[in-house]
Amino acid sequence: MAPFKLDDRDIKILAILSREGRISKTELAKRVNLSATPCWERLSRLEKAGIISGYKAEIELRSVAPQVSVFVMAELENHRAATFQAFEQAVETYDEILSCWALGGGFDYLLHIITRDIDSYQRLIDDLLGRGAGLARYFTYIVTKPVKHSASPPFEILMGLEPGVD
């Protein structure tokens, strides 16, 4: 399948929306130097192509509820396809597991978990170990403070363009 063709304006639309998901369509059109209708048509095309998969708010969890953020390096018991599938299916069942990445190298997976406290984190791990999901060893890294977080990929850099100011 050929990659979706993006031009400079499409990239700018994606960059702006990734930082400012609530921007009005009128302001978006102005910022990418288009009139409203062509801008909306581009936006609709990007959504229909699945490039824009959704819009959501970033919530400052510390102001809402107690929470702990944990990264876990996981090793599986073996490297059989069935073991990978069992682990991945088990991971899908936990809402606390926000992200899980399969890795090449020393560890099999990296998980990002957010839960209420260390006890609830340990209960999740104990449950994962007890359900036969193939988890052999895990290494826990507790986040002590956020230093940098960006939900916005560097679109201009990824597309080989000079980063610009919107």
Side-chain angles (χ1 to χ4, degrees), residues 57 69 84 151 157:
S69 184
F84 285 107
I157 294 170

Side-chain angles (χ1 to χ4, degrees), residues 9-137:
R9 283 202 174 115
D10 292 330
I11 294 165
K12 193 165 187 170
I13 287 170
L14 294 172
I16 292 168
L17 285 175
S18 72
R19 291 187 306 270
E20 304 172 58
R22 289 186 58 151
I23 190 171
S24 71
K25 290 179 181 176
T26 304
E27 179 62 21
L28 179 62
K30 179 179 163 187
R31 300 256 298 272
V32 297
N33 200 26
L34 284 172
S35 61
T37 301
C39 183
W40 296 341
E41 289 170 354
R42 283 175 179 263
L43 190 58
S44 177
R45 183 174 52 90
L46 292 167
E47 290 171 349
K48 286 179 183 163
I51 293 171
I52 297 174
S53 59
Y55 301 87
K56 59 186 164 192
E58 288 188 38
I59 310 298
E60 183 55 56
L61 289 177
R62 290 178 296 184
S63 61
V64 177
Q67 51 84 29
V68 63
S69 184
V70 180
F71 284 89
V72 178
M73 301 298 292
E75 289 183 6
L76 299 186
E77 296 168 345
N78 60 61
H79 289 150
R80 293 186 190 108
T83 306
F84 285 107
Q85 290 170 354
F87 182 78
E88 292 172 11
Q89 287 172 354
V91 162
E92 288 290 336
T93 66
Y94 296 94
D95 291 337
E96 302 95 329
I97 300 175
L98 301 185
S99 301
C100 178
W101 300 274
L103 305 174
F107 293 98
D108 297 314
Y109 292 94
L110 171 64
L111 295 88
H112 182 203
I113 300 171
I114 294 182
T115 190
R116 185 167 184 80
D117 52 32
I118 296 300
D119 288 340
S120 60
Y121 160 72
Q122 191 59 55
R123 283 192 301 276
L124 182 151
I125 291 295
D126 291 345
D127 188 62
L128 193 56
L129 287 165
R131 73 188 302 176
L135 182 62
R137 295 189 327 156

